[in-house]
Amino acid sequence: MKIIQQDIKNQTFKQIYLLYGSETYLVQQYKKNLLKALNPDDDSMNFRVFEGKGINVREVIDLCETIPFFAERRVILFQDTGFLKNKCDELADYLKEIPDYLYLVFAETEVDKRSRVYKAITAKGGCGYAAEFTTPDEKQLMTWVGQLLKIEHKKITIRDTEYLLSKTGLDMNTIRMEVEKLISYVGENEIVTAEDIDAICITKLEDRIFDMIRAVTERNQKRALDLYYDLLNLRVPPMKIRANMIRQYRQLLLIKQMTREGVAQPEIASKMKVSTYILKGLMRCVREYSESELKQALTNLVEADEAVKSGRLADNLSVELVIVEMSQKK
């Protein structure tokens, strides 16, 4: 990433850039910045986009061989073409020696580092550069949130930033949208608070279901059932609720097992791909269960799922019975 930033700053560009990775927000941001730098005048005559599968490689190469019209560069963007995943020998051979006027940007979801196109782009001594964008860790995301707010002269505490990430998850696109909503919501107020976050930010389905599970864990049967009925009123299918409960109880069981094995909490958070704030909530639930109880909870949920699919139990009733059974006082 720093190399691309430096290239843009110095206006000294590689002829081929490959942008890929799990963090689509960063891929799109760097793609946008690169294209703006390579084509600052928005010259549509010497800029072309190829998007999606099934692109004719011969057509691409013919365009690449076309000298730019009254311009220094011809810039071509390739978006999710599959060229870095599927066999494309003709393009790979062409990329080894491309014309001086040609600048190519690949923004790809699927990349196979064994492919000839990838090797041609990243060849030592070649004219290409590949940047893989992965999701920043929680600390980096918290810093980023602070920077976004600082631009708008807003502040937020570390604790409330953790709370915000527990609501949004770690996807940068979602975080950015929620921060923008918060900035608009607080208006002239300088400080963003947890109350502001509760008032305006989305609450993911997983969070609502976890609140229900936490009520079950606390043996608060009335609250657990009320939360379940709220989900039904929001038209969330019982099948989806059940599937999320199975996933979350599996998560609790894995955390229980890793804790027993002495795995440190930061490592558990990393392996589970959750923030430390969320892990704290999960750990509170885990402490209330034995390993055998978590396994039994999973068995109950799976059996309820099978009973619904075989027609032996009504869909709505399946989750309700599990909640009642699991939230009974010891």
Side-chain angles (χ1 to χ4, degrees), residues 9 27 96 103 200 228:
K9 181 180 178 181
V27 171
K96 292 176 182 178
Y103 291 81
I200 201 68
Y228 175 54

Side-chain angles (χ1 to χ4, degrees), residues 78-321:
F78 299 93
Q79 182 85 40
D80 287 329
T81 59
F83 286 153
L84 277 293
K85 181 70 174 178
N86 305 317
K87 186 177 181 181
C88 195
D89 291 345
E90 190 175 5
L91 181 61
D93 290 336
Y94 181 76
L95 294 180
K96 292 176 182 178
E97 291 185 40
I98 65 174
D100 293 341
Y101 57 75
L102 186 61
Y103 291 81
L104 309 177
V105 178
F106 291 83
E108 299 285 331
T109 302
E110 298 179 295
V111 170
D112 185 346
K113 294 182 181 181
R114 300 167 298 177
S115 70
R116 287 193 61 205
V117 173
Y118 180 87
K119 290 176 180 177
I121 292 172
T122 58
K124 189 175 182 181
C127 58
Y129 174 72
E132 182 176 7
F133 296 90
T134 56
T135 302
D137 62 31
E138 187 185 359
K139 186 177 179 180
Q140 291 170 323
L141 287 173
M142 289 176 66
T143 300
W144 181 59
V145 168
Q147 290 169 344
L148 291 176
L149 290 169
K150 186 177 179 181
I151 291 170
E152 301 297 329
H153 309 291
K154 309 294 181 190
K155 296 178 182 178
I156 188 171
T157 66
I158 291 174
R159 182 176 180 79
D160 287 344
T161 307
E162 289 178 336
Y163 182 54
L164 173 63
L165 294 183
S166 77
K167 289 265 192 181
T168 63
L170 305 182
D171 176 75
M172 293 182 76
N173 270 314
T174 304
I175 295 169
R176 178 67 187 245
M177 287 189 293
E178 295 306 304
V179 169
E180 288 175 354
K181 284 163 58 178
L182 279 167
I183 290 167
S184 297
Y185 179 75
V186 299
E188 297 298 318
N189 294 337
E190 183 184 4
I191 307 297
V192 174
T193 66
E195 288 74 19
D196 297 324
I197 294 168
D198 282 335
I200 201 68
C201 289
I202 59 169
T203 299
K204 297 181 296 179
L205 173 63
E206 291 87 347
D207 292 339
R208 292 178 185 272
I209 293 174
F210 183 68
D211 286 343
M212 186 179 72
I213 289 174
R214 187 158 46 196
V216 170
T217 303
E218 294 167 354
R219 304 296 194 269
N220 189 339
Q221 192 174 98
K222 182 180 183 306
R223 175 164 169 73
L225 287 171
D226 285 346
L227 288 167
Y228 175 54
Y229 299 144
D230 285 345
L231 288 167
L232 293 180
N233 288 333
L234 290 169
R235 298 178 183 249
V236 182
M239 178 178 67
K240 192 168 186 178
I241 298 172
R242 206 165 49 246
N244 271 275
M245 289 181 73
I246 290 171
R247 185 185 65 79
Q248 292 195 17
Y249 269 102
R250 279 181 180 150
Q251 199 174 40
L252 293 174
L253 178 59
L254 283 171
I255 292 170
K256 188 76 174 180
Q257 291 169 338
M258 283 190 279
T259 302
R260 173 170 50 78
E261 293 165 4
V263 180
Q265 286 194 20
E267 188 177 348
I268 293 175
S270 176
K271 287 184 176 181
M272 302 301 295
K273 296 183 179 179
V274 298
S275 68
T276 52
Y277 187 96
I278 290 176
L279 182 64
K280 288 175 185 176
L282 292 169
M283 290 295 293
R284 282 195 290 272
C285 282
V286 165
R287 292 188 193 103
E288 297 300 318
Y289 287 104
S290 66
E291 198 168 316
S292 61
E293 286 173 330
L294 287 170
K295 289 178 179 177
Q296 186 60 53
L298 275 170
T299 299
N300 293 346
L301 285 162
V302 171
E303 287 177 350
D305 196 54
E306 291 172 352
V308 170
K309 289 173 180 175
S310 65
R312 291 181 285 115
L313 190 62
D315 208 6
N316 286 16
L317 190 58
S318 66
V319 179
E320 188 172 326
L321 288 176

Side-chain angles (χ1 to χ4, degrees), residues 31-50:
K31 178 192 75 176
K32 178 182 174 183
N33 293 341
L34 260 177
L35 293 177
K36 185 177 179 180
L38 287 166
N39 187 24
D41 299 323
D42 199 20
D43 178 5
S44 59
M45 189 170 291
N46 296 295
F47 174 68
R48 177 73 179 274
V49 178
F50 288 96

